[in-house]
Amino acid sequence: MAGPSRRDVLALGAATAAVALLPSRVFAASPTETPLHGLSAFGDLKYAAGFSNFDYVNPEAPKGGTFNFSPFSWLFNQNPQTFNTLNSFILKGDSPPRMEMCFDSLMASALDEPDSMYGLVAKTVTIAPDRNSFTFKLRPEARFHDGSPLTAEDAAFSYKLLKSDGAPDFAIPLARLADAVADDKQTLRLIFDGKQSERLILSIIGFPILSRTDIETNGFKGGMRPLLGSGAYKVGRVSPGQTIEYERVADYWARDLNVNRGQNNFDRIRIDFYLDRRANFEALKKGDTFYREESVSRSWALDYDFPSLKEGRVVKREFPTEKRPRMQAIALNHRRDRFNDVRVRQAIGLCFDFEWAKRNFFYDLYNRSQSLFELSDFRAEGKPGAEELALLEPLRGNIPEEAFGEAVLQPVSDGSGRDRKMLGKASKLLADAGWKRTGSFVENDKGEKLTLEMLSDEEVLSQRFSPFIENMRAVGIDATSRIVDTPQYQRRLSEYDFDLVIAAFLFSPSPTQDEMEQFFHSRSAAMPGTRNYAGISDPAVDTLVDAVGAAKDRQSLIIAMRALDRVLRARHDWIPNYHNANHWVAFWDMFGFKEPKPDYAFPIESLWWFDKNKAAKIGKA
């Protein structure tokens, strides 16, 4: 498996709650008109007011050292291969991963809870009786890196700016924000239009707070001037497209807050950028990179035998993946008319021989994905129960009939690489859709060939899917693969200028309505820069996305997500590929960390620390 491409890994908002003994209403455990130190959608907060630190950190972790790593996840417009802007919050350009470390937010997530946020810049939050507005009391000690105070005016300005000029990651969730008002320097009110999902607040209280003065003076645009931040780190040395260093802010105003204690331990975090994954891997072997997560099964199986690993200076191990739904899948772009027929999309899916690829490419290290929400409770199984049917029945006639039967499963081949039965079925589906074989390729009644180009910026992806291309050509599809450079790839993704792309996503533990809108809703289909790569624009799907937002408890969320999964799988907009249940990592043995890792995120650059004694033993002191 190749790593996810560009903006394809999400860590949006907070979300899911424990299965048992949950209240029946969102924020039911959070009273209105009472200042609260945190918010939890579906259950009580784990940490009481005045807690000292999160359980998954070492509060005595030493500060110091440098952490040079290859990021394995990224947000917004960030790119792990190159960068040409230091603004992560707009659509234009490619910014470096971890830029968000430079900015504080109203509240911060607890990584051992699926749906909880605790005060950071905001000391407390008060929910209005109608639950349409939230009042935050900001800490008067909050400061930007230049020493200027961070006020409610900055926060209100930031929310309005991100709504109007921010990337879709911000604009879509903020669409229901009616106003952001600074009642005084330390009091912020976020007011919604009444049509929002009740859990929407959890998606936006982690958004960055920007300096109004800085933006009004210097603008909110791309370029290599960093925006003024207030977070634990600030931008240090920069070599555009090659290297960025983040320097720990020694006098960081929130260093000793409970939500930060034991975190942000490295004096310097460095990211070097490589266009070629082999060069990236060689940097680990040489000790130029200290931490790497492997994303190619062949490399994990065969390449980790270099001297420093054999000597015990480099550690190779697996960590369990997060308890969050994930998807790696092929998106077929409906904006191309030739992919609008579900039979064409289904035929294309039949050309992917996972069983052959698993044996020949993947070293039996991957499992076939069936769901768009794999490894979660949201994966549909078997036939829909009564509660799912209550959502699906009103849509009968507007959704595929297959959604009312057994959940659609991906075909199982004979593992030959060219399963004649599967390819024969694909040929019949194409013929039924009006594509007739004429010579080497199929044509429609206008004499047009069925063409398809798989777009990628990673050679390894193109190699892994070359048998898929060959099988499509075998059934008469004029299929090709194109590798483009990273900036062109990002531009074409943002403008939906492609036929087919392969993408991977990590969803939040309890997906919110705005998150699902980014992928599957009509509102995102025509908006540049969303993750709705398939171009889904269907009122029936919109209804199910709305049902996700209307969920009042954990069980109703599961039901709505399963119904959505069931319909999407029957539509064949996205063709699920495969998944891995663990992180494959290698690192130089000079770090300390607390185990077990938290269940819902794995920010090693924030949680780990430099261990001088370990470093001395391996010659890295």
Side-chain angles (χ1 to χ4, degrees), residues 433-444:
W435 295 94
K436 307 301 182 183
R437 192 70 177 245
T438 304
S440 298
F441 300 108
V442 295
E443 296 181 353
N444 60 15

PDB file of all heavy atoms in Angstrom, residues 433-444:
ATOM      1  N   ALA A 433     -24.801  -1.394 -20.397  1.00  0.00           N
ATOM      2  CA  ALA A 433     -24.800   0.064 -20.260  1.00  0.00           C
ATOM      3  C   ALA A 433     -24.635   0.771 -21.596  1.00  0.00           C
ATOM      4  O   ALA A 433     -24.565   2.006 -21.639  1.00  0.00           O
ATOM      5  CB  ALA A 433     -23.684   0.489 -19.310  1.00  0.00           C
ATOM      6  N   GLY A 434     -24.570  -0.002 -22.682  1.00  0.00           N
ATOM      7  CA  GLY A 434     -24.511   0.595 -24.014  1.00  0.00           C
ATOM      8  C   GLY A 434     -23.123   0.715 -24.595  1.00  0.00           C
ATOM      9  O   GLY A 434     -22.934   1.380 -25.621  1.00  0.00           O
ATOM     10  N   TRP A 435     -22.144   0.067 -23.994  1.00  0.00           N
ATOM     11  CA  TRP A 435     -20.768   0.103 -24.493  1.00  0.00           C
ATOM     12  C   TRP A 435     -20.477  -1.202 -25.220  1.00  0.00           C
ATOM     13  O   TRP A 435     -20.365  -2.249 -24.593  1.00  0.00           O
ATOM     14  CB  TRP A 435     -19.785   0.333 -23.345  1.00  0.00           C
ATOM     15  CG  TRP A 435     -19.949   1.677 -22.705  1.00  0.00           C
ATOM     16  CD1 TRP A 435     -20.700   1.972 -21.609  1.00  0.00           C
ATOM     17  CD2 TRP A 435     -19.363   2.898 -23.144  1.00  0.00           C
ATOM     18  NE1 TRP A 435     -20.625   3.312 -21.317  1.00  0.00           N
ATOM     19  CE2 TRP A 435     -19.804   3.920 -22.244  1.00  0.00           C
ATOM     20  CE3 TRP A 435     -18.517   3.256 -24.199  1.00  0.00           C
ATOM     21  CZ2 TRP A 435     -19.429   5.251 -22.385  1.00  0.00           C
ATOM     22  CZ3 TRP A 435     -18.136   4.584 -24.325  1.00  0.00           C
ATOM     23  CH2 TRP A 435     -18.582   5.562 -23.438  1.00  0.00           C
ATOM     24  N   LYS A 436     -20.397  -1.145 -26.540  1.00  0.00           N
ATOM     25  CA  LYS A 436     -20.233  -2.341 -27.368  1.00  0.00           C
ATOM     26  C   LYS A 436     -18.783  -2.484 -27.817  1.00  0.00           C
ATOM     27  O   LYS A 436     -18.114  -1.501 -28.137  1.00  0.00           O
ATOM     28  CB  LYS A 436     -21.156  -2.272 -28.596  1.00  0.00           C
ATOM     29  CG  LYS A 436     -22.620  -2.001 -28.258  1.00  0.00           C
ATOM     30  CD  LYS A 436     -23.212  -3.070 -27.340  1.00  0.00           C
ATOM     31  CE  LYS A 436     -24.693  -2.795 -27.054  1.00  0.00           C
ATOM     32  NZ  LYS A 436     -25.266  -3.778 -26.115  1.00  0.00           N
ATOM     33  N   ARG A 437     -18.324  -3.720 -27.864  1.00  0.00           N
ATOM     34  CA  ARG A 437     -16.942  -3.990 -28.260  1.00  0.00           C
ATOM     35  C   ARG A 437     -16.769  -3.755 -29.752  1.00  0.00           C
ATOM     36  O   ARG A 437     -17.499  -4.303 -30.586  1.00  0.00           O
ATOM     37  CB  ARG A 437     -16.575  -5.446 -27.912  1.00  0.00           C
ATOM     38  CG  ARG A 437     -15.089  -5.767 -27.998  1.00  0.00           C
ATOM     39  CD  ARG A 437     -14.342  -5.068 -26.880  1.00  0.00           C
ATOM     40  NE  ARG A 437     -12.927  -5.396 -26.856  1.00  0.00           N
ATOM     41  CZ  ARG A 437     -12.340  -6.062 -25.870  1.00  0.00           C
ATOM     42  NH1 ARG A 437     -13.049  -6.497 -24.831  1.00  0.00           N
ATOM     43  NH2 ARG A 437     -11.042  -6.280 -25.903  1.00  0.00           N
ATOM     44  N   THR A 438     -15.791  -2.916 -30.104  1.00  0.00           N
ATOM     45  CA  THR A 438     -15.426  -2.664 -31.504  1.00  0.00           C
ATOM     46  C   THR A 438     -13.906  -2.713 -31.578  1.00  0.00           C
ATOM     47  O   THR A 438     -13.229  -1.768 -31.182  1.00  0.00           O
ATOM     48  CB  THR A 438     -15.921  -1.288 -31.986  1.00  0.00           C
ATOM     49  OG1 THR A 438     -17.334  -1.211 -31.786  1.00  0.00           O
ATOM     50  CG2 THR A 438     -15.590  -1.084 -33.451  1.00  0.00           C
ATOM     51  N   GLY A 439     -13.372  -3.820 -32.010  1.00  0.00           N
ATOM     52  CA  GLY A 439     -11.921  -3.971 -32.018  1.00  0.00           C
ATOM     53  C   GLY A 439     -11.423  -4.171 -30.604  1.00  0.00           C
ATOM     54  O   GLY A 439     -11.959  -4.971 -29.824  1.00  0.00           O
ATOM     55  N   SER A 440     -10.401  -3.417 -30.234  1.00  0.00           N
ATOM     56  CA  SER A 440      -9.775  -3.597 -28.923  1.00  0.00           C
ATOM     57  C   SER A 440     -10.564  -2.953 -27.785  1.00  0.00           C
ATOM     58  O   SER A 440     -10.407  -3.335 -26.629  1.00  0.00           O
ATOM     59  CB  SER A 440      -8.356  -3.014 -28.936  1.00  0.00           C
ATOM     60  OG  SER A 440      -7.546  -3.682 -29.877  1.00  0.00           O
ATOM     61  N   PHE A 441     -11.434  -1.968 -28.128  1.00  0.00           N
ATOM     62  CA  PHE A 441     -12.093  -1.209 -27.077  1.00  0.00           C
ATOM     63  C   PHE A 441     -13.599  -1.151 -27.300  1.00  0.00           C
ATOM     64  O   PHE A 441     -14.103  -1.420 -28.397  1.00  0.00           O
ATOM     65  CB  PHE A 441     -11.516   0.215 -27.021  1.00  0.00           C
ATOM     66  CG  PHE A 441     -10.047   0.250 -26.734  1.00  0.00           C
ATOM     67  CD1 PHE A 441      -9.140   0.601 -27.726  1.00  0.00           C
ATOM     68  CD2 PHE A 441      -9.558  -0.087 -25.474  1.00  0.00           C
ATOM     69  CE1 PHE A 441      -7.782   0.629 -27.460  1.00  0.00           C
ATOM     70  CE2 PHE A 441      -8.208  -0.062 -25.206  1.00  0.00           C
ATOM     71  CZ  PHE A 441      -7.310   0.283 -26.194  1.00  0.00           C
ATOM     72  N   VAL A 442     -14.306  -0.800 -26.233  1.00  0.00           N
ATOM     73  CA  VAL A 442     -15.747  -0.635 -26.328  1.00  0.00           C
ATOM     74  C   VAL A 442     -16.062   0.796 -26.750  1.00  0.00           C
ATOM     75  O   VAL A 442     -15.290   1.727 -26.476  1.00  0.00           O
ATOM     76  CB  VAL A 442     -16.447  -0.962 -24.995  1.00  0.00           C
ATOM     77  CG1 VAL A 442     -16.267  -2.426 -24.636  1.00  0.00           C
ATOM     78  CG2 VAL A 442     -15.950  -0.061 -23.862  1.00  0.00           C
ATOM     79  N   GLU A 443     -17.198   0.965 -27.411  1.00  0.00           N
ATOM     80  CA  GLU A 443     -17.646   2.283 -27.846  1.00  0.00           C
ATOM     81  C   GLU A 443     -19.131   2.438 -27.541  1.00  0.00           C
ATOM     82  O   GLU A 443     -19.870   1.449 -27.447  1.00  0.00           O
ATOM     83  CB  GLU A 443     -17.414   2.472 -29.344  1.00  0.00           C
ATOM     84  CG  GLU A 443     -15.954   2.465 -29.765  1.00  0.00           C
ATOM     85  CD  GLU A 443     -15.781   2.682 -31.265  1.00  0.00           C
ATOM     86  OE1 GLU A 443     -16.825   2.695 -31.984  1.00  0.00           O
ATOM     87  OE2 GLU A 443     -14.639   2.831 -31.716  1.00  0.00           O
ATOM     88  N   ASN A 444     -19.578   3.688 -27.412  1.00  0.00           N
ATOM     89  CA  ASN A 444     -21.007   3.936 -27.261  1.00  0.00           C
ATOM     90  C   ASN A 444     -21.629   4.159 -28.634  1.00  0.00           C
ATOM     91  O   ASN A 444     -20.951   4.029 -29.668  1.00  0.00           O
ATOM     92  CB  ASN A 444     -21.258   5.129 -26.330  1.00  0.00           C
ATOM     93  CG  ASN A 444     -20.646   6.421 -26.841  1.00  0.00           C
ATOM     94  OD1 ASN A 444     -20.268   6.531 -28.013  1.00  0.00           O
ATOM     95  ND2 ASN A 444     -20.557   7.413 -25.966  1.00  0.00           N
TER      96      ASN A 444
END
